[in-house]
Amino acid sequence: MDTLSVGHPFAAQAADALDVALDLRGRRVVCVGGGPVTVRRVERLVVAGAQVRLVAPVVEPALAALAQAGTIDWVARHYEGPADISDAWFVHTATGTGVDSTVARDSEAGRTFCVQASNAGQGSAQVLASRSVDSPAGPLRVAVHGGGDPRRAASVADQVAGELSSGVHDLRARRRRVGVGWVALVGGGPGDPGLLTRAGWEALRSADVVVVDRLAPREVLAELDPAVRVIEVGKAPGAHTMTQAQINDVLVREALAGWGVVRLKGGDPYVLGRGGEERLRLESEGVPVRVISGVTSSIAGPAAAGIPVTHRGLATGFTVVTGHDEVGDLPVRDDHTLVFLMGVSKLRTIVATLLAAGHSPETPTAIVERAHTSSQRTTVATLHELPEVAEQVGVENPAVIVVGRVVTVSPQWADR
């Protein structure tokens, strides 16, 4: 429900002001004055479902457009007294002249709450500075009463909303399980919890259940409320805890039980993360799904080693390929970068396929293991040397393989 929050009469002087939310749907609200302040207020009132009457001889273009569209009723003249507000549930005046005091007095006499925008402390009501905070469990609205100082209230509202959006706080809906829950497919980035997006943190703080991958940023699990259930579905090479079909079943089961579920993945859900498969299955079961993009390892992995996937004069584009499947036709160009995810176990096959396709044996390559972690390691070599060098140093998953001239930008290439 969209609402407009107001304070108790003479709130600027009263420390114990009563902050309430008014349901203005279908109710008459009169706004006096047609300037920029009224524009902002009318836009909020329209969203709140109020029947807005605007009294002003001249108005801003945005207000005129609303009147022309029939969204508000514009009385194109000066305020003429109590009759203009006799049927109002709520009044807002912002002429910037003595008319505001007159409107406030008439409202008081008619027992109608009034916001006097030109002198916030003189009205019988005040609009609180408010900000919306999103969470998978539903939007939250933060409202701050500034004691008659709207700028101070706005500043504090910004700070509080930013703090709540940081993911530090638990935003889960405290409710009984009724009906279907929700699922957020969250990309956790390449491993460093600092690269998890704010939206991802918000989702985790709202969750009842977290279904987590092996390559997700594991440190964030320690930050969860103890009541949150964590379900491990990690996949290691040759050792899958669950098949993808079983993971889909878990997500559907938990959401249909009414829980808020975060599917926490490494990288991005839609970059070789099977997020599309999970979303389609959930939607087929009537489960609300939100996809929260993450920092993909295909870019962040090379970047951790100082390798840009594109670079002026070296590469104008890049291709991301899974190392699990057969390598298909790929661009054979000096100005193109190839990035392979999950390809260590098939490194020799990948290199042989690229050489057979016409890639130069001297093409610079790199393998970045455990990117953005304390145990990160980068191995560089030319394409034809890479399998032998990788075996000598014992390269292991998780790792990103980069093929292309951009590797020469890496500090490791200069030191080879």
Side-chain angles (χ1 to χ4, degrees):
M1 177 180 69
D2 291 307
T3 59
L4 187 71
S5 298
V6 301
H8 192 272
F10 308 110
Q13 290 79 31
D16 58 348
L18 175 64
D19 303 320
V20 301
L22 299 182
D23 181 359
L24 296 174
R25 291 174 296 179
R27 294 181 167 92
R28 172 67 65 192
V29 175
V30 175
C31 294
V32 181
V37 173
T38 303
V39 172
R40 296 195 297 271
R41 195 66 65 234
V42 166
E43 289 174 343
R44 282 281 308 281
L45 289 165
V46 168
V47 171
Q51 295 180 356
V52 179
R53 177 187 298 141
L54 175 63
V55 180
V58 180
V59 300
E60 292 285 320
L63 294 171
L66 289 172
Q68 186 175 8
T71 304
I72 65 174
D73 176 22
W74 176 23
V75 180
R77 59 167 171 78
H78 290 287
Y79 176 74
E80 293 184 351
D84 283 343
I85 59 174
S86 61
D87 60 346
W89 290 70
F90 187 72
V91 175
H92 182 279
T93 181
T95 67
T97 69
V99 172
D100 291 334
S101 295
T102 301
V103 173
R105 285 195 299 269
D106 292 345
S107 299
E108 186 76 14
R111 297 185 178 183
T112 303
F113 283 102
C114 175
V115 172
Q116 187 175 341
S118 59
N119 191 337
Q122 297 303 310
S124 58
Q126 290 184 327
V127 177
L128 277 63
S130 65
R131 303 292 183 268
S132 182
V133 177
D134 193 23
S135 80
L140 300 172
R141 183 165 288 278
V142 176
V144 177
H145 183 276
D149 186 345
R151 291 186 178 180
R152 174 172 172 247
S155 175
V156 174
D158 286 336
Q159 294 177 58
V160 173
E163 177 71 14
L164 290 177
S165 298
S166 69
V168 173
H169 303 280
D170 188 349
L171 301 181
R172 287 177 296 163
R174 301 301 182 183
R175 58 173 175 78
R176 295 177 60 190
R177 290 183 292 154
V178 178
V180 179
W182 51 265
V183 174
L185 307 179
V186 176
D192 180 356
L195 295 178
L196 178 64
T197 67
R198 189 170 74 178
W201 275 109
E202 290 176 6
L204 284 166
R205 288 298 182 183
S206 301
D208 301 301
V209 180
V210 175
V211 181
V212 62
D213 269 355
R214 181 178 66 95
L215 297 181
R218 311 288 300 187
E219 291 92 335
V220 304
L221 301 180
E223 302 294 327
L224 299 177
D225 187 285
V228 176
R229 284 189 293 119
V230 176
I231 300 176
E232 297 278 356
V233 296
K235 298 177 181 179
H240 291 188
T241 303
M242 292 188 187
T243 65
Q244 187 59 52
Q246 290 171 326
I247 294 172
N248 293 347
D249 289 341
V250 168
L251 297 176
V252 170
R253 181 192 71 211
E254 297 294 337
L256 291 181
W259 300 117
V261 183
V262 164
R263 172 72 168 106
L264 183 60
K265 302 168 174 287
D268 182 274
Y270 276 8
V271 180
L272 303 178
R274 296 195 169 182
E277 298 174 38
E278 293 170 349
R279 179 182 64 82
L280 291 173
R281 171 65 192 286
L282 288 161
E283 289 179 343
S284 73
E285 301 285 350
V287 176
V289 184
R290 179 186 181 195
V291 179
I292 300 177
S293 299
V295 179
T296 172
S297 301
S298 61
I299 297 175
I307 303 172
V309 292
T310 63
H311 188 82
R312 186 165 57 176
L314 294 178
T316 59
F318 67 101
T319 299
V320 181
V321 189
T322 174
H324 282 329
D325 302 328
E326 294 292 330
V327 178
D329 293 332
L330 298 173
V332 184
R333 295 171 48 178
D334 286 342
D335 64 347
H336 197 86
T337 305
L338 302 179
V339 180
F340 293 86
L341 303 182
M342 305 166 290
V344 170
S345 63
K346 293 189 175 182
L347 182 58
R348 286 192 175 275
T349 300
I350 291 171
V351 170
T353 302
L354 295 179
L355 292 173
H359 288 267
S360 168
E362 301 303 318
T363 302
T365 63
I367 301 179
V368 185
E369 301 170 79
R370 301 174 296 279
H372 291 283
T373 71
S374 59
S375 59
Q376 175 180 313
R377 181 174 64 171
T378 303
T379 302
V380 297
T382 59
L383 181 60
H384 75 96
E385 297 171 333
L386 188 61
E388 293 295 335
V389 173
E391 287 185 5
Q392 290 172 7
V393 300
V395 167
E396 297 179 342
N397 277 312
V400 176
I401 303 168
V402 188
V403 178
R405 291 195 295 159
V406 291
V407 173
T408 61
V409 179
S410 170
Q412 284 78 12
W413 185 264
D415 296 338
R416 62 189 288 269

